[in-house]
């Protein structure tokens, strides 16, 4: 990839549009990006990375808002990058999401991120405007993700100084971001999960085996061996089952003997009980015969009374029927005479039955004629009711119509007055948006002025803290240099103190030590030097933090001063109060306009509603009056016809009711005469039948028959008592005639109590023995079921246990926690260690040149200090010092030594990542900061190495503010910062 042109607008510290010609800078091969701290040197690299990947490197990507704070409110942030990737020239125009002012009203709205990807093929041709498609295409062409690109094309020296001194865990995080080791990590995770899953499965199946074995022990009342493995439990269960089979055989033998004894006792008892029952039956038969003989007269009386009642029952119904007919005939004659007396005023006394019938027919005919007039009467009543309702409605509607007429005369003037007031209020309320903006501007300026005044004190405090931190850092650095020099000066004495007679010297190799050097001063130890270096690093970090804080506070103060100038806080506060007062006045006028608009709307609605209601009432009144006139004419016609029809009766209904009563009375009189004749004839006939029946059943009078007669329940009671006598006689005669009972009575009585006691003893023995046998059989059957379950459980456990053993072994080897892994390295760590070894080999080629052959990086598989986890080895780094022949911890390197080592490591890592990504050629790369720690000779060596990176047309950009580099590198991109933002200048 080769950069040609970069254009940034409202991005980072660049408030306007800045164009950087990388073509001119790349022609020089080596160029410098220089400027003051905070001017925006790193922001140039951020813009390149953002154009390619839509994000900026490292932790800066977590900070939202790439738009410049110095840019004008409506200026859109944008980055345009022209670059050649794999022989194809592209132009990428990308904008981040940002908040822009609304086109209407106040406030802001979100503008989404955008991209335009174009390719130059004689002319610019658009490829896509979709962010995902553009990112996929750029990623495929570069062959690397954002982290890899930032590591290869933008060498972050500071990050690699941390990488050089990091522990294994931090170093692993960096390598995992750059190399595709996640597949091996997933393998480790999968194996660990598989180990856990197989362990849970095996333990669950083992628990199942233990559960079944425990139930076998519980059923058999045996003790479960605690030391038996699962595969040996089936044999133990078979032994327990065999023991209980023997117990069952013994119990079955005892049950057979008890069954035989119980049968014999039961048979003897049943025979004695049967004899005693026969003897008791014979004795009872003798007693029943004696009692029957004593009640013979009672049996005769019952039989005679039942015969008399049966004869009476044959005639009593006829007697009662004759009496009912006589009574009915008498009632009919009296009722007919009563009705005859009632109708005498209508037809006269002693008239014939046909005269009564004709009088009834005459009245029925007149009623039928009057029924036709009932509908007219009902219509007359409805007409009267409707006219009353219409009168009530007129009395209600006429006042309401008058009120609406008066209201319609008043409302037009009210509507016009309200409209004039609303128009005046709207004109006054139009000033409100301007007043609101004035208040917001005054509030912002007042807050800025207060912060500006506060920053005056904060800047002074920060400058004092920076000076103090600078003094402390310089003192700590001087002490480190003094300690290291003292240790180097006394190194010979240290080596001499470690010489052992007969063992070769580490320097010359001789086993003889004739005159070892002795030191007369205290030589600082390496621990003391390390502590001093740590203190110096801490002090330097505090110094840099203090410097950054001073720069931040100064920049903020300059920004605020540019916004509000030197205006006093009191004056701005007074401006704010005036603006708020103006806003309140405009708001009050706006509220008045809203109220008037509401009142106008209500007045217009009332006018429309009143007009509609008045029209509706007028229409209803007209229809009411027309209907009333129509009903009055029809009512007069019906009333005349009904007066003629009712005659002398008060009303038509009254005349119909009178005629109906008279017709009904005549009809009842005729019917009563006929029923009285029929009842007399029936009474004579039933009297004759009853007399014949009494004579036939030998009764002299009807009263004699009624006295002898009994109800069915009473007759049934007599029959039941007679039948009991018959059954009782047959029963004792049959028993006394039975030869078996007679023979049993001749035998002695049996001892039933003794026989029952013997039977109870035999039953108890049988129950006890049978229960024991049944329990033994159930235990045998249950043990057989549990043995089958145990065999199945063991068969299921064996393959699961073997699978867990294999999974545990593989997971332990892959994680480095198994003794079978001699290196003690996890699989992913082993892969990353191989990559780190490649990086170290590539880094040493350049480190040897930059350190004049003194230093070389050494990759070790040992754990870093503090790493106690198994499998954490394989990512160790040491530094070999050719001058001392010792391996050193990277933390012991000085600032300049750390820089060249970190730079060599970064360049080596860039080579390996490039090869990993498919050999994508990066023709423009950047080295960020760190040159201020180098002495002149080391700087020359580093510059030679960087100059060598230009082979093959590659361009190298150095990001630094070191003054000496400005003299060494003529091609420069200069960045200057100011109150309104930073600007760029290309110097070739």
């Amino acid at each position: 990839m080769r950069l040609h042109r970069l254009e940034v607008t409202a991005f980072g510290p660049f408030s306007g549009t800045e164009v950087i010609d990388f073509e001119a800078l790349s022609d020089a091969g080596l160029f410098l990006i220089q400027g003051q701290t905070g001017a925006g040197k790193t922001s140039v690299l951020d813009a390149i990375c953002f154009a390619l990947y839509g994000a900026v490197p490292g932790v800066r990507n977590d900070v939202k808002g790439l738009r410049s704070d110095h840019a004008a409110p409506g200026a859109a942030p944008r980055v345009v990058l022209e670059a050649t990737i794999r022989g194809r020239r592209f132009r990428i125009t990308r904008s981040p999401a940002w908040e822009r002012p609304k086109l209407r009203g106040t406030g802001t709205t979100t503008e989404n991120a955008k991209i335009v990807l174009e390719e130059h093929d004689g002319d610019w041709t658009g490829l896509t405007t979709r962010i995902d498609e553009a990112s996929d295409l750029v990623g495929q062409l570069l062959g690397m993700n954002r982290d890899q690109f930032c590591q290869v094309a933008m060498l972050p020296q500071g990050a690699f100084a941390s990488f050089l001194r990091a522990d294994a865990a931090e170093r692993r995080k960096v390598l995992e971001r750059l190399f595709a080791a996640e597949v091996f990590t997933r393998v480790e995770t999968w194996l660990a999960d598989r180990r856990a899953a197989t362990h849970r499965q095996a333990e669950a199946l083992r628990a199942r085996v233990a559960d079944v074995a425990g139930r076998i022990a519980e059923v058999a009342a045996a003790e479960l061996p605690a030391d038996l493995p699962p595969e040996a439990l089936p044999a133990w269960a078979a032994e327990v089952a065999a023991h209980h089979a023997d117990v069952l055989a013994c119990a079955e033998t005892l049950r057979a003997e008890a069954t035989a004894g119980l049968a014999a006792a039961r048979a003897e008892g049943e025979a004695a009980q049967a004899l005693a029952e026969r003897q008791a039956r014979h004795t009872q038969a003798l007693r029943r015969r004696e009692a029957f003989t004593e009640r013979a007269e009672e049996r005769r009386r019952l039989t005679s009374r039942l015969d008399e009642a049966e004869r009476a029952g044959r005639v009593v119904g006829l007697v009662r029927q004759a009496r009912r007919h006589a009574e009915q005939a008498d009632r009919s004659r009296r009722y007919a005479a009563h009705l005859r007396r009632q109708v005498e005023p209508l037809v006269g006394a002693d008239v014939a039955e046909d005269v009564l019938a004709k009088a009834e027919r005459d009245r029925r005919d007149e009623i039928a004629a009057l029924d036709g007039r009932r509908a007219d009467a009902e219509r007359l009543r409805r007409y009267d009711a409707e006219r009353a309702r219409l009168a009530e409605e007129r009395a209600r509607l006429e006042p309401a119509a008058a009120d609406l007429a008066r209201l319609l005369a008043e409302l037009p003037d009210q509507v016009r007055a309200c409209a004039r007031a609303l128009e005046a209020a709207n004109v006054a309320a139009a000033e409100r948006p301007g007043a609101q903006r004035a208040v917001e501007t005054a509030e912002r300026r007042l807050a800025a002025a207060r912060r500006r005044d506060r920053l005056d004190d904060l800047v002074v405090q920060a400058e004092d803290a920076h000076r103090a931190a600078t003094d402390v850092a310089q003192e700590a650095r001087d002490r480190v240099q003094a300690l290291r020099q003292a240790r180097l000066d006394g190194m010979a004495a240290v080596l001499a103190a470690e010489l052992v007679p007969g063992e070769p010297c580490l320097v010359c190799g001789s086993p003889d030590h004739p005159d070892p050097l002795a030191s007369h001063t205290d030589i600082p130890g390496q621990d003391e030097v390390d502590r001093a270096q740590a203190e110096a690093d801490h002090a330097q970090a505090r110094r840099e933090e203090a410097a950054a804080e001073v720069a931040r506070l100064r920049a903020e103060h300059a920004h605020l001063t540019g916004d509000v100038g030197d205006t006093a806080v009191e004056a701005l506060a007074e401006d704010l109060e005036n603006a708020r007062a103006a806003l309140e006045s405009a708001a009050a006028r706006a509220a008045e306009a809203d109220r008037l608009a509401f009142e106008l709307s209500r007045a217009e609605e009332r006018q429309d509603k009143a007009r509609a209601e008045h029209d509706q009432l007028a229409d209803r009144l007209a229809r009411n009056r027309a209907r009333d006139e129509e009903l009055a004419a029809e009512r007069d016609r019906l009333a005349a016809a009904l007066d003629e029809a009712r005659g002398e009766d008060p009303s038509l209904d009254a005349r119909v009711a009178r005629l109906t009563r008279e017709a009904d009375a005549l009809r009842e009189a005729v019917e009563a005469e006929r029923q009285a004749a029929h009842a007399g004839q029936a009474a004579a006939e039933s009297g004759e039948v009853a007399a014949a029946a009494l004579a036939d059943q030998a009764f002299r009078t009807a009263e004699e028959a009624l006295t002898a007669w009994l109800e069915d329940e009473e007759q049934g009671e007599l029959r039941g008592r007679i039948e009991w006598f018959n059954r009782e006689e047959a029963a004792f005669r049959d028993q006394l005639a039975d030869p078996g009972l007679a023979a049993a009575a001749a035998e002695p009585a049996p001892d039933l109590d003794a026989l029952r006691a013997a039977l109870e003893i035999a039953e108890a023995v049988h129950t006890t023995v049978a229960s024991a046998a049944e329990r033994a059989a159930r235990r045998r059957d249950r043990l057989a079921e549990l043995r089958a379950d145990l065999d199945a459980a063991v068969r299921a456990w064996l393959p699961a246990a073997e699978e867990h053993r294999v999974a545990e072994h593989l997971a332990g080897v892959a994680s480095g926690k198994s003794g079978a892994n001699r290196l003690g390295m996890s699989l992913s760590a082993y892969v990353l260690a191989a990559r780190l070894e490649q990086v170290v080999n590539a880094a040493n080629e350049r480190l040897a040149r930059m350190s004049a052959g003194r230093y070389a990086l050494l990759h070790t598989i040992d754990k870093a200090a503090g790493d106690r986890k198994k499998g954490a080895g394989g990512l160790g780094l040491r530094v070999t010092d050719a001058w001392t022949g010792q391996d050193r911890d990277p933390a012991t390197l000085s600032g300049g030594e750390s820089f060249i080592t970190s730079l060599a490591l970064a360049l080596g890592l860039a080579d390996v990542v490039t090869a990993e990504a498919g050999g994508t050629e990066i023709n423009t790369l950047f080295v960020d900061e760190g040159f201020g720690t180098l002495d002149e000779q080391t700087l020359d060596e580093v510059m030679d190495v960087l100059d060598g990176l230009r082979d093959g047309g590659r361009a190298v950009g150095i990001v630094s503010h070191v003054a000496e580099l400005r003299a060494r590198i003529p091609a420069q991109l200069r960045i200057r910062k100011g109150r309104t933002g930073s600007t760029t200048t290309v110097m070739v």
Side-chain angles (χ1 to χ4, degrees), residues 388-412:
R389 181 185 61 78
L390 291 173
E392 292 177 0
E393 185 179 36
R394 284 195 304 277
R396 187 176 64 255
L397 295 180
E398 287 172 349
D403 292 340
L404 287 174
R406 287 193 299 272
L407 182 61
L408 285 174
E410 298 170 357
L411 282 177

Side-chain angles (χ1 to χ4, degrees), residues 544-568:
E544 294 175 355
E545 291 174 359
E549 180 66 10
V550 170
R552 185 186 67 78
L553 292 175
R554 285 175 177 170
E556 185 179 359
H557 186 276
H559 173 70
L560 294 175
T561 303
D563 186 14
V564 298
D566 298 329
T567 307

Side-chain angles (χ1 to χ4, degrees), residues 127-141:
L127 297 181
T128 183
T129 57
R130 291 185 53 177
I131 295 177
D132 53 349
E133 291 181 356
S135 299
D136 290 343
L137 179 58
V138 172
Q140 291 173 6
L141 290 171

Side-chain angles (χ1 to χ4, degrees), residues 173-218:
K173 291 179 182 178
V174 175
L175 294 174
E176 283 180 339
R177 288 199 303 268
L178 300 177
F179 298 107
E182 62 274 6
V183 63
F184 303 101
T185 304
R186 288 200 298 270
V187 169
E188 293 177 27
T189 303
W190 183 87
L191 288 173
D193 293 343
R194 187 60 184 165
R195 173 179 58 193
T198 56
H199 175 70
R200 289 192 298 270
Q201 183 181 11
E203 284 302 310
L205 293 174
R206 184 187 183 95
R208 169 64 179 163
V209 173
D211 177 64
V212 176
R215 282 186 282 161
I216 291 176
E218 180 182 355

Side-chain angles (χ1 to χ4, degrees), residues 542-862:
R542 292 292 303 150
R543 174 187 178 183
E544 294 175 355
E545 291 174 359
E549 180 66 10
V550 170
R552 185 186 67 78
L553 292 175
R554 285 175 177 170
E556 185 179 359
H557 186 276
H559 173 70
L560 294 175
T561 303
D563 186 14
V564 298
D566 298 329
T567 307
V569 171
E570 293 76 6
L572 293 174
E574 184 178 355
D575 293 342
L576 176 59
E577 290 300 324
N578 294 334
R580 285 176 175 169
L583 176 61
E584 290 177 0
S585 176
R589 291 193 292 269
E592 180 67 14
D594 292 341
R595 185 186 65 79
L596 289 172
F598 178 70
E599 289 185 359
L600 175 61
S601 176
R602 290 188 57 187
E604 291 175 344
E605 289 178 0
R606 289 176 60 195
Q607 184 177 13
D608 294 340
K609 182 178 179 182
R611 185 178 293 111
E613 290 179 355
H614 182 270
D615 294 343
Q616 183 179 7
L617 286 178
D619 180 66
R620 289 179 62 184
L621 283 171
R623 286 187 279 108
N624 180 294
R625 295 186 180 100
R627 178 61 177 166
D628 185 65
E629 293 175 358
E630 178 184 351
L631 291 175
E634 184 66 17
R635 183 194 181 286
D636 293 342
R637 185 186 63 80
L638 288 176
L642 289 174
D643 288 342
E644 181 182 357
R646 65 182 175 85
E648 298 178 356
D649 291 303
S651 67
L652 185 67
D653 289 340
R655 185 174 183 83
V656 171
R658 178 179 63 77
L659 293 175
T660 301
R661 289 194 301 271
E662 293 176 356
D664 291 342
L666 291 170
R667 179 181 57 78
E668 290 177 359
V670 172
E671 184 65 26
E673 292 284 347
R674 293 173 182 173
Q675 288 182 357
H678 291 315
Q681 184 179 358
E685 293 175 355
S686 61
E688 294 175 358
V689 172
L694 288 172
D696 185 58
Q697 296 296 327
F699 288 107
R700 291 186 297 276
T701 64
E703 285 73 13
E704 183 180 353
L706 292 173
T707 302
W709 177 79
L710 294 174
E711 295 285 349
D712 291 344
E713 292 80 2
E714 294 174 332
Q715 292 186 25
E717 182 179 355
L718 289 177
R719 290 190 185 93
R721 292 173 67 184
I722 293 171
E723 288 176 359
W724 178 84
F725 277 109
N726 295 334
R727 290 195 303 272
E728 186 70 10
E729 181 180 14
F732 70 74
R733 289 183 184 279
D734 291 342
Q735 288 179 345
L736 292 176
D738 187 354
L741 295 181
E747 295 184 8
D751 189 356
L752 295 179
D753 293 339
L755 292 174
R756 279 195 292 271
L759 178 60
E760 291 176 356
I761 293 173
E763 288 177 342
V765 171
H766 179 268
T767 300
T768 302
V769 174
S771 298
E774 290 175 358
R775 287 195 301 272
R778 288 196 298 270
R779 189 178 297 114
R780 178 200 59 189
D781 297 339
R782 182 57 179 157
L783 286 174
E785 295 175 0
L786 292 175
R787 284 182 62 200
D789 293 345
L790 180 62
D791 291 341
V794 171
R795 287 195 302 272
W797 171 78
L798 286 173
E802 177 62 19
E803 184 178 3
H804 172 61
R805 186 190 65 78
V806 174
E808 184 175 30
H809 174 72
L810 291 177
V813 171
S815 64
K817 299 177 182 179
S818 171
N821 188 329
R822 296 193 303 274
L823 298 178
M825 296 169 58
S826 65
L827 178 61
S828 57
Y830 179 80
V831 174
L832 293 176
R835 292 288 188 269
L836 182 58
E837 187 173 8
Q838 295 174 356
V839 171
V840 167
N841 292 335
N844 281 334
E845 295 179 6
R846 297 182 175 88
L847 181 57
R849 294 177 57 188
M850 288 188 286
S851 65
R854 178 179 178 182
Y855 293 116
L857 286 168
L858 176 64
H859 166 240
T860 70
I861 63 173
D862 299 331

Side-chain angles (χ1 to χ4, degrees), residues 78-140:
R78 185 182 65 172
V79 174
V80 181
L81 176 66
E82 294 184 23
T84 297
I85 307 174
R86 293 187 183 270
R88 300 168 63 182
R89 182 159 180 165
F90 295 95
R91 180 167 67 191
I92 306 171
T93 303
R94 192 189 291 265
S95 297
W98 64 291
E99 294 290 327
R100 64 166 178 81
K102 291 183 177 178
L103 299 178
R104 298 182 183 85
T106 60
T108 61
T109 184
T110 301
E111 191 75 22
N112 294 326
K114 299 177 182 178
I115 189 172
V116 177
L117 178 61
E118 302 169 282
E119 183 175 5
H120 190 273
D121 187 11
D123 197 2
W124 289 108
T125 303
L127 297 181
T128 183
T129 57
R130 291 185 53 177
I131 295 177
D132 53 349
E133 291 181 356
S135 299
D136 290 343
L137 179 58
V138 172
Q140 291 173 6

